[in-house]
């Protein structure tokens, strides 16, 4: 496929991820052509992504495609695309709450949303799932200010706070209707508070839940069990065959070690996350608050307030989550999430032009006599 020889691009860190942000109008409208271009921009397929913007890890091989929304309930539409590092694959089967943190500032800086004098709130429709979020961030004097004093675990230094609030979603919090299921012989809670997630007691898989990501990734028996569990959980969660999908996420739970509610190790889906995704943490936090779930006896919930601290390999992430255990007007019925919010940060790294790797030339047809150079076969 052919495409642009240069593309306007903003590279941003959003939360604990990094990605390339594009206006939808700067990319091909046809998905196959768009994905081919993004593979060449990010440098996939190549384990090092040496010839593109990607950072050789799923957390740094992400793309946000942003446009003005045609729905008056929203300001912008956001399509998240995961560019696979070592395969020629681009998938839109999940959201990304970390990259979401940069969407509001990007929309203001690219003129899609008029800024306020002190702060700006941007209403975002997440096209991957149809769900929404509102991102609020400082815009003193009508300009995005990326500097600030907010810290998030897993990111050095400080930056401006981006407060992201998620209204209640349209998907069931419990896809199976159960707070506890048994999948491939393992007790789990299947929860979706923005990200389909399987909560698993780490001890049920014979690990502590405190291992480093590298140690967990080096355990082939664990990888086999997790793959079997994920493939079985996907259809139960209404996701169908998830063989080639990046959802559901798998989060191992263990008692917290550093004052939080729970310690986690999350798989995305094969690599172990060095921290935890925003939407994945939102689903974990919701699952912790479900009476009878697998987190009972593992998690230590705060006595007051809605904030839950989820520990991960490089620190923690605080999530405000308010659960209605009975559902609206249905005491004792299906639980729902009334409110979910998180504080993230984002920082613009560069804004300019990216030059994609040239499209591969089509393979010339074989010469009838066997030589592509016109010579006879010998």
């Amino acid at each position: 496929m052919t495409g642009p020889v240069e593309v306007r691009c903003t590279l941003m860190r959003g939360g604990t991820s990094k990605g390339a942000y594009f206006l939808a109008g700067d990319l091909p409208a046809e998905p196959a052509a768009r994905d081919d271009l993004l593979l060449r921009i990010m440098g996939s397929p190549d384990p090092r992504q040496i010839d593109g913007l990607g950072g050789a890890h799923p957390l740094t091989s992400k793309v946000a495609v942003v446009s003005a929304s045609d729905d008056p309930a929203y300001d912008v539409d956001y399509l998240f695309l995961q560019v696979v590092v070592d395969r020629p694959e681009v998938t839109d089967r999940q959201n990304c709450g970390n990259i979401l943190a940069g969407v509001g500032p990007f929309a203001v800086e690219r003129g899609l949303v008029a800024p306020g004098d002190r702060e700006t709130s941007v209403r975002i429709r997440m096209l991957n799932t149809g769900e929404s979020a509102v991102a609020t961030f400082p815009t003193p004097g009508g300009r995005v200010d990326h500097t600030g004093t907010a810290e998030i675990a897993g990111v050095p230094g400080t930056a401006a706070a981006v407060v992201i609030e998620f209204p209640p979603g349209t998907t069931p919090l419990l896809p199976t209707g159960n707070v506890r299921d048994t999948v491939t012989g393992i007790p789990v809670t299947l929860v979706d508070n923005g990200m389909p997630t399987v909560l698993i007691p780490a001890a049920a898989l014979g690990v502590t839940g405190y291992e480093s990501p590298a140690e967990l990734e080096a355990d082939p028996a664990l990888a086999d069990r997790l793959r079997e569990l994920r493939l079985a959980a996907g259809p139960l969660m209404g996701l169908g065959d998830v063989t080639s999908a990046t959802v559901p996420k798998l989060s191992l739970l263990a008692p917290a070690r550093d004052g939080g509610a729970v310690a986690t190790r999350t798989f995305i889906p094969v690599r172990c996350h060095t921290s935890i995704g925003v939407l994945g943490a939102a689903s974990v936090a919701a699952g912790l608050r479900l009476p009878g779930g697998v987190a009972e006896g593992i998690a230590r919930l705060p006595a007051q307030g809605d904030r839950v601290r989820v520990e991960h390999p490089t620190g923690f992430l605080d999530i405000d989550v308010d659960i209605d255990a009975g559902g609206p007007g249905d005491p004792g019925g299906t639980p729902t999430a009334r409110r979910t919010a998180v504080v993230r940060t984002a920082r613009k790294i560069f804004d300019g032009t990216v030059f994609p790797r040239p499209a591969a030339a089509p393979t010339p047809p074989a010469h009838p006599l066997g030589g592509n150079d016109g010579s006879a076969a010998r």
Side-chain angles (χ1 to χ4, degrees):
M1 296 182 180
T2 60
V5 294
E6 58 183 71
V7 185
R8 176 82 184 274
C9 173
T10 299
L11 188 69
M12 295 185 73
R13 176 190 59 77
T16 54
S17 293
K18 185 166 61 177
Y21 290 66
F22 300 92
L23 291 178
D26 290 335
L27 297 174
E30 199 275 315
R34 177 200 66 203
D35 293 351
D36 174 74
L37 176 63
L38 292 175
L39 287 166
R40 294 186 284 117
I41 286 174
M42 300 303 286
S44 294
D46 172 36
R48 295 184 299 161
Q49 290 183 318
I50 195 67
D51 205 26
L53 293 180
H57 192 281
L59 299 182
T60 55
S61 186
K62 300 185 173 188
V63 167
V65 182
V66 184
S67 59
S69 182
D70 59 6
D71 187 327
Y74 305 98
D75 298 309
V76 298
D77 290 341
Y78 154 52
L79 177 68
F80 170 70
L81 297 171
Q82 179 73 58
V83 180
V84 178
V85 173
D86 56 356
R87 299 194 308 275
E89 181 180 334
V90 179
T91 177
D92 63 358
R93 291 191 64 179
Q94 68 173 79
N95 282 327
C96 179
N98 276 304
I99 293 299
L100 172 65
V103 170
F106 174 81
V108 168
E109 292 194 328
R110 289 298 192 90
L112 299 181
V113 177
D117 288 334
R118 298 181 60 186
E119 68 175 21
T120 301
S121 293
V122 177
R123 302 168 301 165
I124 303 166
R125 177 168 60 175
M126 296 180 280
L127 296 180
N128 302 73
T129 60
E131 295 173 337
S132 62
V134 178
T136 302
F137 47 93
T139 51
R143 295 177 62 89
V144 175
D145 184 0
H146 292 278
T147 64
T149 59
E151 297 181 76
I152 61 173
V155 176
T158 64
V162 180
V163 179
I164 305 174
E165 185 154 354
F166 302 96
T170 57
T171 57
L173 183 64
L174 294 172
T176 66
N178 306 318
V179 294
R180 185 185 288 254
D181 289 283
T182 300
V183 180
T184 66
I186 304 296
V188 299
T189 293
L190 307 176
V191 61
D192 186 352
N193 189 27
M195 178 68 70
T197 304
V198 182
L199 306 187
I200 312 162
L205 290 173
V207 296
T208 66
Y210 307 123
E211 294 88 350
S212 71
E215 289 172 324
L216 292 171
E217 289 179 2
D219 185 342
L222 176 65
D224 288 343
R225 296 191 74 188
L226 290 173
R227 180 179 183 277
E228 180 188 21
L229 196 159
R230 194 177 75 86
L231 293 179
L236 296 176
M237 301 184 77
L239 301 171
D241 182 359
V242 296
T243 302
S244 60
T246 57
V247 289
K249 307 301 186 190
L250 309 176
S251 279
L252 309 188
L253 307 182
R257 279 185 158 180
D258 297 308
V262 72
T264 62
R265 296 294 185 268
T266 301
F267 290 81
I268 54 172
V270 178
R271 301 291 297 272
C272 184
H273 207 310
T274 55
S275 55
I276 190 170
V278 170
L279 296 171
S283 290
V284 169
L288 301 187
R289 291 194 174 277
L290 296 173
V294 297
E296 279 195 345
I298 298 175
R300 296 193 299 266
L301 293 173
Q304 296 181 338
D306 298 328
R307 183 157 297 176
V308 173
R309 175 159 290 183
V310 177
E311 296 179 3
H312 55 70
T314 51
F316 62 86
L317 193 154
D318 287 335
I319 294 280
D320 287 353
V321 60
D322 180 16
I323 298 297
D324 183 343
D330 183 21
T334 304
T336 58
R338 287 186 289 219
R339 177 180 180 271
T340 305
V342 64
V343 175
R344 295 275 82 188
T345 66
R347 192 179 76 82
K348 180 170 63 175
I349 297 172
F350 83 70
D351 181 72
T353 301
V354 60
F355 296 86
R357 182 180 68 234
T363 303
H367 188 274
L369 297 180
N372 285 337
D373 61 356
S375 61
R378 293 177 174 83

